[in-house]
């Protein structure tokens, strides 16, 4: 038991549970998780009026950037398991955001295309994502932001670890549900995603 807690009576709580005063603040994992949580929370708040979550924007961003994508490869690239990916695409197709078409090379496979509605929603959502990033990264200078991005890209580079293919994330189907969602969001800073 912590000596500070010993001084408290049985019905008293510590005066402060400020996460800035915890030893965990010295741990990289804690800091990265807290930064990701802050970004994800703000993304979800701002995207909710559009009726989308990060998982929807991830799919739209990948297709916007690369063009029609094989359904299986799309799930692998954004770390969503196959079953969840099928359900997510069913939902997005029902909302006329994407359309699945037979792959001309492999008729058993499907390629996922953006619809006009999907492209329009992506543009709006991407503007929102950029505004939230500017807000959350406000304490950093432009140079520090570039350094942070470069360092994070090196950490998540598939060549630097066992690879994304081993990640099996199930995604939730409900807005506001914080369990099982993928936290990664394509940056939108390069290529066609701008």
């Amino acid at each position: 038991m912590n000596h500070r807690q010993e001084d408290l009576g049985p019905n008293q709580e510590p005066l402060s549970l400020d996460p800035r005063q915890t030893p965990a603040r010295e741990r990289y994992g804690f800091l990265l998780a807290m930064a990701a949580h802050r970004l994800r929370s703000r993304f979800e708040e701002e995207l909710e009026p559009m009726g989308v979550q990060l998982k929807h924007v991830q799919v739209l961003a990948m297709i916007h950037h690369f063009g029609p994508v094989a359904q299986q490869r799309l799930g692998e690239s954004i770390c969503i398991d196959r079953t969840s990916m099928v359900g997510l695409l069913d939902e997005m197709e029902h909302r006329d955001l994407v359309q699945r078409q037979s792959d001309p090379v492999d008729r058993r496979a499907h390629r996922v295309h953006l619809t006009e509605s999907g492209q329009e929603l992506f543009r709006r959502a991407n503007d929102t994502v950029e505004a939230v990033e500017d807000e959350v990264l406000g304490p950093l200078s432009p140079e520090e932001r570039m350094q942070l991005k470069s360092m994070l890209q090196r950490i998540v580079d598939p060549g630097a670890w066992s690879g994304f293919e081993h990640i099996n994330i199930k995604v939730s189907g409900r807005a506001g549900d914080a369990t099982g969602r993928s936290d990664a969001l394509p940056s939108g800073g390069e290529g066609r995603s701008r």
Side-chain angles (χ1 to χ4, degrees), residues 99-113:
Q99 183 179 53
R100 287 178 276 205
Q101 298 176 1
S102 294
D103 188 323
V105 177
D106 180 359
R107 292 286 176 182
R108 297 167 300 168
H110 290 91
R111 290 194 172 272
V112 186
H113 300 250

Side-chain angles (χ1 to χ4, degrees), residues 89-187:
L89 290 176
D90 286 346
E91 174 192 342
M92 294 179 74
E93 200 165 34
H94 180 73
R95 294 180 58 190
D96 192 36
L97 300 175
V98 299
Q99 183 179 53
R100 287 178 276 205
Q101 298 176 1
S102 294
D103 188 323
V105 177
D106 180 359
R107 292 286 176 182
R108 297 167 300 168
H110 290 91
R111 290 194 172 272
V112 186
H113 300 250
L114 282 186
T115 63
E116 285 187 31
S117 299
Q119 294 209 28
E120 174 56 32
L121 180 60
F122 171 72
R123 283 191 284 275
R124 290 175 42 224
N126 196 52
D127 289 345
T128 298
V129 165
E130 288 181 2
V132 168
E133 286 179 344
D134 283 343
E135 170 197 321
V136 173
L137 298 176
L140 304 180
S141 70
E143 294 79 19
E144 289 171 325
R145 290 184 194 197
M146 291 302 294
Q147 288 175 339
L148 176 63
K149 183 192 280 188
S150 175
M151 289 185 285
L152 290 172
Q153 286 170 339
R154 281 163 38 204
I155 291 170
V156 301
D157 177 2
W161 58 306
S162 61
F164 289 108
E165 67 273 8
H166 299 296
I167 295 178
N168 188 24
I169 297 175
K170 295 215 179 269
V171 293
S172 165
R174 294 184 302 152
D177 184 351
T179 61
R181 283 183 286 174
S182 172
D183 297 334
L185 179 65
S187 132

Side-chain angles (χ1 to χ4, degrees), residues 35-116:
H37 176 74
R38 181 166 179 216
L39 268 169
R40 184 182 67 238
S41 297
R42 288 294 296 125
F43 285 143
E44 296 293 1
E45 266 178 49
E46 296 300 318
L47 292 171
E48 187 176 19
M50 294 181 214
V52 294
Q53 298 174 352
L54 288 176
K55 60 188 180 183
H56 301 105
V57 180
Q58 287 177 286
V59 169
L60 297 173
M62 290 296 289
I63 303 169
H64 181 78
H65 183 80
F66 291 107
V69 180
Q71 180 174 316
Q72 182 176 344
R73 188 67 190 118
L74 182 60
E76 291 169 357
S77 67
I78 59 176
C79 305
I80 295 178
D81 73 276
R82 187 178 304 188
T83 304
S84 294
M85 192 73 224
V86 169
L88 180 58
L89 290 176
D90 286 346
E91 174 192 342
M92 294 179 74
E93 200 165 34
H94 180 73
R95 294 180 58 190
D96 192 36
L97 300 175
V98 299
Q99 183 179 53
R100 287 178 276 205
Q101 298 176 1
S102 294
D103 188 323
V105 177
D106 180 359
R107 292 286 176 182
R108 297 167 300 168
H110 290 91
R111 290 194 172 272
V112 186
H113 300 250
L114 282 186
T115 63
E116 285 187 31

